[in-house]
């Protein structure tokens, strides 16, 4: 759309904020009839049934989380949370149509094959990934039950947030700055997560959701020495949602309406690609922590390079603050729904 051309990246020509629209293709008469039935008859009924089931899962999660808070031993509490919350998140994904997840460990080195081998991600490690939907949160909870954080766009300090806040975050504009009283260094959070067995910490360095067509500029999360922890491992991951009809990608709009559309689909697809841990950058190689006899590595540049290769997406010059400005412009011209800015 011409009125949104200001937010089209000049280098790539990609508009990374508008909600993706299915490509128009010629269909057979039978396929067209099936599409009409699914859209106006079966789909809405199935969506209502699924939403009721999701509401029941949400209520059960609240109850099990309250019971888990009574456990005082960190390891026991962590195990209980993995057993309950992770299982409920996977059940929610299944109900939403994500019956199977295409997950592989990928090597970027020539001659090495992709595998389905799983790697033990420990409490206090860092998972760095792109962000295109609230469904990212559900899968990460189902697989790792991690700690989610919001990033300060100026200082790159972080604020831990709950799963429910992380699920709602894509529907809101990214905060420009975090309250100083609530922000902390990533390094201290990683050490705290490791000692208290809180799980790995998920960082979305773009600090905003996109439509999955390109990456935003990544915040220099690992530039500040206070954000580093030499004992923490960095894992790089890419998430994609292949779709021929309604896309699970969520960049803007009414989140409930989008969820209703997701639940109308017969099935949905999620592709997860994790970089081989041996090829992930290491914090202890950063200039601030690197041994004198070794060549330092710019961890932020290394993460950006790996993420682009892993996701097969180009990086734009746009930032999370551009997404914030875009949402302000978009909703000034939209009628009805207004997100929290």
């Amino acid at each position: 759309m011409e009125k949104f051309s200001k937010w089209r990246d000049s280098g790539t020509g990609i508009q990374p904020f508008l909600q993706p629209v299915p490509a128009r293709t010629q269909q057979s008469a039978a396929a067209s009839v099936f599409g009409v039935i699914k859209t106006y008859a079966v789909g809405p009924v199935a969506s209502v049934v699924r939403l009721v089931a999701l509401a029941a899962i949400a209520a059960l999660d609240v109850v099990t989380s309250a019971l888990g808070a009574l456990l005082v031993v960190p390891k026991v509490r962590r195990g209980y949370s993995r057993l309950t919350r992770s299982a409920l998140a996977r059940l929610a994904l299944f109900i939403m149509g994500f019956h199977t997840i295409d997950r592989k460990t990928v090597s970027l080195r020539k001659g090495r094959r992709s595998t389905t081998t799983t790697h033990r991600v420990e409490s206090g490690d860092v998972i760095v990934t792109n962000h295109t939907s609230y469904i990212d949160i559900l899968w990460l909870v189902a697989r790792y039950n991690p700690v989610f954080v919001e990033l300060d766009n100026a200082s790159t300090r972080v604020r831990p947030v709950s799963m429910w806040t992380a699920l709602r975050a894509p529907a809101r504009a990214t905060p420009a700055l975090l309250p100083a009283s609530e922000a902390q260094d990533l390094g201290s959070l990683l050490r705290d997560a490791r000692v208290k067995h809180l799980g790995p910490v998920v960082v979305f360095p773009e600090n905003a959701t996109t439509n999955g067509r390109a990456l935003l500029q990544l915040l220099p999360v690992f530039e500040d020495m206070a954000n580093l922890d030499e004992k923490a491992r960095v894992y790089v991951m890419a998430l994609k949602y292949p779709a021929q009809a309604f896309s699970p990608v969520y960049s803007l709009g009414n989140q409930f309406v989008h969820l209703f559309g997701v639940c109308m689909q017969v099935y949905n697809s999620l592709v997860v690609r994790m970089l081989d841990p041996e090829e992930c950058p290491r914090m202890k190689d950063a200039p601030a922590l690197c041994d004198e006899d070794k060549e330092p590595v710019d961890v932020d540049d290394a993460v950006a390079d790996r993420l682009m290769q892993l996701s097969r997406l180009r990086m734009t010059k746009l930032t999370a603050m551009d997404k914030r400005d875009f949402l302000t412009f978009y909703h000034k011209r939209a009628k009805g729904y207004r997100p929290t800015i």
Side-chain angles (χ1 to χ4, degrees):
M1 299 181 183
E2 192 63 31
K3 59 183 177 181
F4 300 125
S5 59
K6 177 181 176 181
W7 291 277
R8 186 179 298 279
D9 180 59
S10 58
T12 63
I14 297 173
Q15 216 293 1
F17 301 141
L18 288 174
Q19 194 66 17
V21 178
R24 294 183 179 180
T25 58
Q26 291 185 344
Q27 295 181 327
S28 65
S32 298
V33 171
F34 175 78
V36 170
I37 293 175
K38 186 191 77 170
T39 302
Y40 297 103
V42 178
V45 174
S47 185
V48 170
V49 173
R50 285 173 165 177
L51 289 173
V52 171
L54 290 177
I57 290 175
L60 185 57
D61 177 75
V62 172
V63 173
T64 55
S65 296
L67 294 175
L70 301 177
L71 301 173
V72 295
V73 181
K75 281 190 175 182
V76 174
R77 185 167 58 244
R78 171 68 179 167
Y80 173 84
S81 181
R82 286 298 302 269
L83 183 65
T84 55
R85 171 161 278 184
S86 294
L88 290 174
R90 185 64 189 94
L91 179 59
L93 286 170
F94 186 86
I95 290 172
M96 294 166 65
F98 295 92
H99 304 146
T100 59
I101 308 296
D102 181 5
R103 178 169 54 87
K104 290 182 180 179
T105 298
V106 176
S107 172
L108 299 177
R109 296 173 183 169
K110 293 183 178 181
R112 297 188 64 179
R113 296 183 177 180
S114 301
T115 69
T116 56
T117 304
T118 58
H119 300 274
R120 187 174 179 82
V121 182
E122 304 283 355
S123 290
D125 289 338
V126 184
I127 299 174
V128 180
T129 180
N130 62 318
H131 195 16
T132 59
S133 178
Y134 52 89
I135 298 168
D136 301 345
I137 307 299
L138 280 178
W139 185 82
L140 288 164
V141 170
R143 188 72 185 90
Y144 303 106
N145 194 22
V147 177
F148 295 101
V149 297
E150 290 181 331
L151 285 167
D152 187 293
N153 284 278
S155 68
T156 67
R157 301 185 81 200
V158 301
R159 173 174 61 182
V161 296
S162 68
M163 177 192 74
W164 294 105
T165 299
L167 283 169
R168 289 289 294 142
R172 299 182 171 94
T174 302
L177 299 172
L178 298 178
S181 60
E182 299 178 11
Q184 65 182 102
D185 298 322
L186 177 61
S188 64
L189 177 61
L190 294 176
R191 290 186 286 272
D192 197 40
R194 183 166 53 252
V195 171
K196 297 181 180 179
H197 302 279
L198 301 178
V201 176
V202 171
V203 174
F204 299 116
E206 295 171 284
N207 211 22
T209 55
T210 68
N211 56 18
R213 295 186 60 203
L215 296 171
L216 303 181
Q217 285 289 311
L218 309 188
L219 289 176
V221 179
F222 305 105
E223 185 177 57
D224 190 341
M225 182 178 178
N227 283 344
L228 301 176
D229 177 13
E230 61 181 359
K231 293 183 179 180
R233 298 194 66 173
V234 178
Y235 293 89
V236 182
M237 182 185 299
L239 307 175
K240 284 190 174 184
Y241 297 89
Q244 294 181 347
F246 188 88
S247 176
V249 166
Y250 175 74
S251 181
L252 57 85
N254 187 303
Q255 192 173 14
F256 180 79
V257 171
H258 183 268
L259 177 59
F260 190 91
V262 170
C263 290
M264 281 180 59
Q265 308 309 305
V266 178
Y267 67 90
N268 292 291
S269 299
L270 169 58
V271 174
V272 181
R273 295 292 180 261
M274 175 174 273
L275 182 62
D276 189 320
E278 295 181 5
E279 301 175 34
C280 291
R282 301 182 301 177
M283 288 196 205
K284 62 182 181 181
D285 292 334
L289 300 178
C290 183
D291 295 334
E292 293 183 359
D293 58 339
K294 293 185 179 180
E295 185 176 352
V297 174
D298 188 315
V299 180
D300 289 298
D301 285 350
V303 166
D305 179 68
R306 307 292 198 283
L307 188 56
M308 282 191 290
Q309 293 186 66
L310 194 62
S311 63
R312 296 184 180 180
L313 296 174
R314 289 182 288 177
M315 185 172 292
T316 66
K317 296 180 180 179
L318 300 172
T319 68
M321 291 297 93
D322 291 310
K323 173 73 180 288
R324 182 181 174 87
D325 294 341
F326 169 79
L327 289 177
T328 301
F329 179 85
Y330 180 87
H331 290 292
K332 278 183 178 179
R333 286 156 176 74
K335 297 180 179 179
Y337 173 69
R338 296 288 191 278
T340 302
I341 303 295

